[in-house]
Amino acid sequence: MAVIKSFDSLMFTKETLSNKYSLEAIRAMRKDSSDIENICCMAEAKFNYSAHYVELVTKTKKPFDSLEASSSSAVSTAFNMNSPVMIALTERGRGTRYLAKYKPYATVLALTRYPKVAAQCGIYRSIFPLICNLDNLEAAIKDLIEEMKEMKILTVGQNIVLYSGIMDELTGTENSIKAILIQ
């Protein structure tokens, strides 16, 4: 259940630690930590992300605000394209948090110029924040894609999804989704 709910840790309750077997429980958890990690990895591999997405979209109260609508659409695009990576450009992290809510199978790289936003995005499942200069977006994204190709995270012919929630002086916030073919 902890894996399905996307918990990043397990914690003992007060009742467990106050009984006469508390030290044994801690020793067992430490001893079996690699087994627990293997079990979590196997459970994660069996999790049906697309079914979870459909269920979540169906059960979420409508109408969505524009930010949630664009974020859920970006996750849907990543599913439909079998994208291994999503790149999210963010200044406040709100759209990126919605991406995490809809649990994409893709790894989400959150690019921001603000350390506080990066720290906040880093607590969400499958979100990996990167602090970078966003003044030349095109160059930053091209460099990141080239690095991922060198690391064999991306291969030619795959698609990635670029999600942007950058502030716009004219409209307040611009949320856009762009599919990029890796060449």
Side-chain angles (χ1 to χ4, degrees):
M1 181 55 88
V3 175
I4 292 172
K5 294 292 184 184
S6 301
F7 296 150
D8 291 325
S9 62
L10 299 173
M11 189 170 80
F12 291 111
T13 63
K14 180 180 176 184
E15 292 80 14
T16 303
L17 293 178
S18 63
N19 71 37
K20 65 181 182 175
Y21 298 107
S22 58
L23 287 178
E24 286 80 359
I26 293 170
R27 285 187 192 116
M29 183 69 91
R30 287 189 65 203
K31 178 184 168 205
D32 296 333
S33 64
S34 63
D35 291 339
I36 291 170
E37 186 176 334
N38 290 337
I39 290 168
C40 289
C41 288
M42 288 188 307
E44 183 80 15
K46 299 289 183 190
F47 186 74
N48 189 336
Y49 289 90
S50 56
H52 176 78
Y53 170 79
V54 169
E55 179 182 358
L56 196 57
V57 168
T58 304
K59 291 182 178 181
T60 301
K61 184 180 176 187
K62 309 290 186 300
F64 289 169
D65 63 25
S66 63
L67 189 60
E68 185 164 6
S70 63
S71 298
S72 68
S73 295
V75 172
S76 176
T77 302
F79 280 129
N80 291 335
M81 297 176 66
N82 201 25
S83 176
V85 174
M86 295 178 74
I87 298 175
L89 308 173
T90 185
E91 290 190 343
R92 293 183 287 176
R94 289 182 55 229
T96 307
R97 289 190 287 275
Y98 276 124
L99 293 177
K101 172 184 176 179
Y102 288 101
K103 291 186 177 29
Y105 182 74
T107 299
V108 180
L109 302 174
L111 277 57
T112 184
R113 66 183 86 205
Y114 303 111
K116 184 176 180 179
V117 172
Q120 292 169 342
C121 289
I123 65 171
Y124 292 95
R125 184 191 166 285
S126 77
I127 306 292
F128 297 92
L130 299 170
I131 302 168
C132 61
N133 184 348
L134 298 178
D135 291 336
N136 188 347
L137 281 176
E138 191 171 323
I141 292 168
K142 282 182 179 180
D143 290 345
L144 184 58
I145 289 171
E146 287 305 315
E147 279 189 51
M148 287 189 286
K149 282 169 56 178
E150 287 175 18
M151 297 170 65
K152 309 240 187 282
I153 295 170
L154 293 175
T155 58
V156 173
Q158 289 181 310
N159 288 288
I160 64 170
V161 175
L162 176 66
Y163 176 74
S164 175
I166 299 296
M167 296 294 288
D168 182 295
E169 291 179 14
L170 297 175
T171 60
T173 301
E174 176 186 304
N175 301 308
S176 60
I177 303 164
K178 183 176 184 178
I180 301 173
L181 176 65
I182 304 302
Q183 299 180 355

